[in-house]
Amino acid sequence: MSGSSLLDVRGLTKYFPIEEGLLRRVVGHVRAVDHVSLSISRGRTLGLVGESGSGKTTLGRCVLRAIDLTAGEILFHHEGVTTDLAQLSRREMREFRKHMQMIFQDPYSSLDPRKTVFDIVSEPLRINRIAAGKALEDRVRTVLELVGMDVRYMKRFPHAFSGGQRQRIGIARALSINPQLIVCDEAVSALDVSVQAQILNLLKDLQEEFKLTYLFIAHDLSVVEHVSDEVAVMYVGKLVEQAPTQALFTSPRHPYTEALLSAIPRPDPDRPLPETGGIEGELPDPANPPPGCYFHPRCPYAEPICREQEPPLIEIAPGHTSACHFVEELELQGLED
């Protein structure tokens, strides 16, 4: 599994305690991420999709150890050595920070308004003691040019730029220390559609040039289809389906994936509407999920077994896994080519 992988996540779990009273007694847990396992190949993009509250961002932050996980392994393969990041202390993690970076959702709030573009982009280089003096300035100039920013503006502050330009600054900051893995957390969702296309094309060009590996978190499946080699679908903290992008979009094997695909707007008015009409109901409370399959209260195909037993995540085709009791019986509708 790790032969061509940069990152293998095994059984990753993150529970947030629910506390009550003056003594802060723990009375329950929010199951933000619940025993998720996935793999990201070198130089490839894994898209991570699901409704808001499904645990996508929490998983991404756990992978980077921005927050501590409850259980599981995060196996990072670097220079022939495999390291479980989950076992490292905060001090030991500092050595791996330069190999992993994040591009945040909001391109304004993720940038310090009191710092110039030069200060923002150079900060990872200075913290990791990678460059100083003339070499530092040259590196900042290089990465700003790579992301399409005019180096004449590097003494300006973030408020002087548009949303797309601010996101380019965020990308430059992430790219400055030559990371291997970049977690893109809704990296284009706050941008106009035309600007989204520019940023997505930039990310793809950078990936090709520097062999970057992306974990691309998004709720817009149209965007995910454009940038991802594989797609993983999360629901209430669990992984319910993972497949190569084309296979997942044309032949989904989980009812939740089918429902997500049916909600994608279609620009052709002459095309018939899909038989399924989106997703009915609301996402369950992750602190008190339903028994059996978490999706069964909203699933049009649910049977009694779905309410009683949790379906295992099984491989139904090479690289294609699904967690549904009736994965072999159901004929689900995807998007036409």
Side-chain angles (χ1 to χ4, degrees):
M1 184 176 183
S2 63
S4 62
S5 298
L6 177 66
L7 189 79
D8 289 322
V9 173
R10 298 177 182 172
L12 194 151
T13 302
K14 178 59 181 178
Y15 291 173
F16 292 98
I18 302 172
E19 300 175 336
E20 284 187 357
L22 293 175
L23 300 179
R24 314 303 297 170
R25 183 168 59 92
V26 175
V27 295
H29 291 87
V30 175
R31 302 178 181 184
V33 181
D34 199 356
H35 295 88
V36 170
S37 297
L38 51 81
S39 178
I40 310 177
S41 300
R42 296 179 188 274
R44 309 277 281 179
T45 299
L46 174 65
L48 189 62
V49 302
E51 295 170 274
S52 296
S54 60
K56 307 184 301 296
T57 294
T58 302
L59 188 147
R61 292 177 183 269
C62 284
V63 164
L64 295 178
R65 284 290 307 275
I67 56 176
D68 291 329
L69 55 154
T70 303
E73 299 177 321
I74 307 169
L75 304 179
F76 191 85
H77 310 292
H78 175 62
E79 297 181 348
V81 177
T82 297
T83 304
D84 184 2
L85 304 185
Q87 300 300 319
L88 300 184
S89 66
R90 291 183 179 274
R91 187 169 185 175
E92 292 171 326
M93 266 304 299
R94 292 194 59 161
E95 176 62 27
F96 284 87
R97 295 292 182 201
K98 59 188 176 185
H99 302 307
M100 306 181 297
Q101 290 293 301
M102 191 170 199
I103 300 172
F104 297 91
Q105 177 176 357
D106 189 336
Y108 188 76
S109 64
S110 64
L111 304 178
D112 191 333
R114 300 164 298 178
K115 292 184 177 180
T116 65
V117 172
F118 177 83
D119 293 332
I120 291 169
V121 177
S122 65
E123 186 174 23
L125 293 163
R126 289 184 280 103
I127 290 176
N128 289 280
R129 300 179 181 178
I130 294 174
K134 183 67 163 55
L136 178 67
E137 183 174 344
D138 290 344
R139 179 59 184 167
V140 172
R141 287 177 176 272
T142 298
V143 293
L144 287 175
E145 290 173 351
L146 282 172
V147 301
M149 289 292 294
D150 195 322
V151 296
R152 294 178 299 173
Y153 301 150
M154 65 182 184
K155 295 300 182 183
R156 294 187 179 182
F157 293 88
H159 72 268
F161 299 96
S162 66
Q165 288 174 318
R166 288 195 289 264
Q167 195 61 296
R168 289 175 187 269
I169 296 169
I171 295 172
R173 175 177 59 187
L175 198 65
S176 63
I177 54 177
N178 292 319
Q180 297 182 54
L181 172 69
I182 296 181
V183 176
C184 305
D185 183 16
E186 303 276 8
V188 297
S189 63
L191 306 176
D192 294 338
V193 175
S194 60
V195 180
Q196 283 187 13
Q198 297 173 18
I199 298 300
L200 292 174
N201 289 332
L202 171 63
L203 290 172
K204 293 187 72 174
D205 291 342
L206 291 171
Q207 181 178 45
E208 184 175 346
E209 183 172 355
F210 297 104
K211 309 303 180 187
L212 298 171
T213 303
Y214 292 143
L215 174 59
F216 194 92
I217 300 169
H219 62 269
D220 187 336
L221 271 74
S222 300
V223 170
V224 171
E225 182 182 19
H226 179 67
V227 302
S228 301
D229 299 294
E230 290 185 78
V231 179
V233 183
M234 286 189 69
Y235 186 75
V236 196
K238 288 185 176 292
L239 192 67
V240 297
E241 185 170 6
Q242 181 174 351
T245 302
Q246 184 177 9
L248 185 131
F249 276 77
T250 58
S251 303
R253 303 300 298 273
H254 194 281
Y256 180 57
T257 307
E258 180 190 50
L260 290 177
L261 294 175
S262 71
I264 297 178
R266 300 189 176 195
D268 186 354
D270 296 326
R271 294 177 66 179
L273 292 173
E275 295 179 5
T276 53
I279 310 175
E280 297 183 356
E282 297 182 355
L283 202 71
D285 182 2
N288 185 29
C293 174
Y294 287 180
F295 188 58
H296 85 256
R298 308 169 72 187
C299 180
Y301 312 106
E303 298 287 346
I305 190 175
C306 303
R307 303 178 181 90
E308 300 167 0
Q309 298 181 22
E310 179 181 342
L313 186 69
I314 61 172
E315 187 172 42
I316 52 179
H320 196 153
T321 58
S322 177
C324 177
H325 288 298
F326 302 100
V327 66
E328 300 293 349
E329 291 88 353
L330 294 177
E331 294 184 5
L332 303 178
Q333 183 176 2
L335 299 183
E336 299 177 4
D337 291 331

